Amino acid sequence: MATKASRSAARLMMGPAVILLLGWMLVPLIMTLWFSFRTYLPLRGGDQGWTGFDNYVRFVSSSAFWPAVQTTLVIVLGVLVITVCLGILLAILLDQPMWGQGIVRILVIAPFFVMPTVSALVWKNMFMDPVNGLFAHLWRFFGAEPVSWLSDAAMPSIIMIVSWQWLPFATLILLTAIQSLDSEQLEAAEMDGAPHLKRFFYIILPHLSRAITIVLLIQTIFLLAIFAEIFVTTGGAFGTRTLSYLIFQRVLESQNVGLGSAGGVYAIILANIVAIFLMRIVGKNLDN
């Protein structure tokens, strides 16, 4: 049993790590809040004084703000639907005994370890190039006109690229959950004559509910800040400018740190609203 002295020693040893973590999180947040209330133009005179809530009003009243929020949510929702649905199918397939099962699992999970910039470049140049891309050659083989994916179908292309990168993560989490399922339940259902679809909807899917909520929560947190894939492929054009990319444009392209910082605060608020909503869903599933 832990004594008072041992608890104090544990707190003392944890102290430096906690202080470092708080500093790592709070210092950028405080600086963002500070700059959001000021006019700071690095190439045009630097700090020009206090502006109050002017940066917040300018950012939210911009004609690009609400379309950027809508684009962000559409991309997040599209990627979540694809990765969860295909992740469940892949997890079920990978759970079946097959030759070279270990190698197949490694190949399926491998895309998750590719950097977003690299994966976006691969998709842009090797697959979606309208002249020399793999899809262009495939279209010509069937006698169709090649598609300029990153201009004519920019949003589905971004969703496809990001889904390819996050699908292995969802598959890994869901495969781990499937492997924890008691095989006796499936065997009993099979002996009772339950078809495959009923076994899936009444046994496998309820068992995966917790894993699905965890996948939704973790992926949403990261997907709300999607940037690299858009920067490399479309540059925010053709209706693919997300909130994070809009902030980038305000800070670096417009050289207005105060306005970009206000956008960063809005991004934090949006992320917290989505996180609270998802945490309630996770909490309900974990309590069941």
Side-chain angles (χ1 to χ4, degrees):
M1 184 176 180
T3 62
K4 184 177 181 180
S6 65
R7 288 196 295 268
S8 299
R11 294 192 189 99
L12 184 63
M13 288 185 286
M14 291 172 59
V18 173
I19 293 172
L20 181 63
L21 184 61
L22 286 175
W24 179 64
M25 292 187 298
L26 292 178
V27 170
L29 178 60
I30 293 172
M31 291 182 66
T32 300
L33 289 171
W34 170 257
F35 282 120
S36 69
F37 291 105
R38 306 185 70 82
T39 299
Y40 189 80
L41 308 173
L43 301 182
R44 289 175 285 171
D47 193 351
Q48 299 182 11
W50 183 267
T51 57
F53 288 94
D54 182 58
N55 287 325
Y56 290 92
V57 175
R58 287 179 58 193
F59 195 91
V60 77
S61 60
S62 169
S63 60
F65 175 73
W66 291 111
V69 173
Q70 181 181 0
T71 300
T72 302
L73 296 178
V74 168
I75 291 176
V76 171
L77 182 60
V79 173
L80 289 178
V81 170
I82 292 174
T83 53
V84 170
C85 293
L86 293 183
I88 292 174
L89 293 176
L90 280 175
I92 294 175
L93 290 174
L94 293 175
D95 189 50
Q96 307 302 315
M98 67 178 75
W99 183 85
Q101 188 178 57
I103 298 176
V104 173
R105 289 180 179 178
I106 293 174
L107 292 175
V108 170
I109 297 171
F112 184 66
F113 300 101
V114 180
M115 290 182 292
T117 306
V118 176
S119 66
L121 285 172
V122 170
W123 278 90
K124 177 182 179 181
N125 297 316
M126 293 184 63
F127 292 97
M128 295 181 174
D129 188 280
V131 178
N132 298 315
L134 180 62
F135 292 160
H137 289 294
L138 189 63
W139 258 238
R140 292 193 193 96
F141 178 78
F142 287 102
E145 186 69 23
V147 178
S148 297
W149 291 91
L150 297 176
S151 56
D152 297 340
M155 182 71 77
S157 299
I158 295 294
I159 293 175
M160 188 187 307
I161 294 171
V162 180
S163 298
W164 178 81
Q165 187 176 3
W166 280 96
L167 180 58
F169 172 79
T171 303
L172 181 62
I173 300 297
L174 295 169
L175 176 60
T176 304
I178 286 180
Q179 290 177 336
S180 66
L181 176 63
D182 188 3
S183 59
E184 293 182 358
Q185 297 182 33
L186 293 174
E187 292 173 359
E190 187 177 0
M191 291 178 64
D192 291 338
H196 292 285
L197 284 178
K198 286 192 175 181
R199 275 181 272 165
F200 172 76
F201 284 108
Y202 290 99
I203 298 178
I204 297 176
L205 196 58
H207 180 76
L208 293 177
S209 60
R210 293 187 179 186
I212 291 173
T213 53
I214 297 299
V215 169
L216 292 176
L217 178 61
I218 295 176
Q219 287 193 176
T220 301
I221 292 173
F222 285 94
L223 291 174
L224 285 171
I226 179 176
F227 174 80
E229 294 87 346
I230 296 172
F231 178 78
V232 171
T233 54
T234 64
F238 310 110
T240 60
R241 181 166 54 185
T242 59
L243 185 57
S244 59
Y245 199 87
L246 179 62
I247 295 169
F248 160 77
Q249 289 182 320
R250 294 294 181 266
V251 174
L252 292 183
E253 296 183 4
S254 301
Q255 288 297 318
N256 193 331
V257 176
L259 191 61
S261 298
V265 175
Y266 281 123
I268 293 171
I269 294 172
L270 176 63
N272 278 276
I273 291 174
V274 175
I276 291 171
F277 175 74
L278 289 175
M279 284 299 294
R280 291 193 175 186
I281 296 176
V282 172
K284 289 180 181 178
N285 280 323
L286 294 179
D287 290 339
N288 292 336

